[in-house]
Amino acid sequence: MKTISLKDIQNTEKNVDGGNWVSRRLIVKDDNMGYSVHDTVIKAGTETHIWYQNHLESVYCIEGEGEVETLKDNKVWPIEKDTLYALDANDEHYLRAKTDMRMVCVFNPPIKGTEVHDENGVYPVAED
């Protein structure tokens, strides 16, 4: 059994500032759960290019409003509180925040916990 408090990781390396977002990594690869869980705030007025070539991600919006645009079809998906979106095909996309958006993100495979997006919007695979 584990309990993890957001306040306990806010001043650690698991509190990662990616410029357009701040992600607090609650569960990471070393926790041996098979996935990672992040509490992430996407900053209002930002647009972030993301392409998780190595990960599948589910994102549940608990605060705020924005949109996701999938690049393969240029479809725009509105995102607001109580909406979940799943990037189930390694979808390359833009995430745009109209207001600050607080998201709960789950990644498979799990990330190590300190990653930021590379120049292509990708997280590397955490090596053993």
Side-chain angles (χ1 to χ4, degrees), residues 19-125:
N20 290 352
W21 49 267
V22 175
S23 182
R24 290 74 62 101
R25 280 70 190 271
L26 299 162
I27 296 286
V28 296
K29 182 173 177 58
D30 285 347
D31 292 308
N32 297 312
M33 295 293 293
Y35 56 85
S36 57
V37 178
H38 316 172
D39 180 314
T40 301
V41 175
I42 311 297
K43 297 175 185 173
T46 62
E47 175 181 85
T48 306
H49 173 248
I50 305 171
W51 189 10
Y52 295 129
Q53 298 172 3
N54 304 312
H55 299 84
L56 299 178
E57 181 191 27
S58 293
V59 181
Y60 183 62
C61 180
I62 58 175
E63 291 176 15
E65 182 181 355
E67 65 186 25
V68 172
E69 179 181 357
T70 48
L71 296 186
K72 69 181 174 188
D73 56 9
N74 295 320
K75 185 165 183 180
V76 176
W77 308 82
I79 306 298
E80 61 186 13
K81 182 181 180 208
D82 299 331
T83 302
L84 180 136
Y85 66 92
L87 299 161
D88 58 349
N90 304 100
D91 307 277
E92 183 175 11
H93 61 286
Y94 285 108
L95 175 58
R96 299 182 186 104
K98 294 179 183 176
T99 65
D100 280 354
M101 298 172 69
R102 187 168 177 204
M103 320 288 255
V104 176
C105 310
V106 178
F107 282 85
N108 181 17
I111 68 165
K112 193 170 75 175
T114 56
E115 294 90 340
V116 294
H117 302 129
D118 71 11
E119 65 279 359
N120 297 311
V122 177
Y123 282 153
V125 174

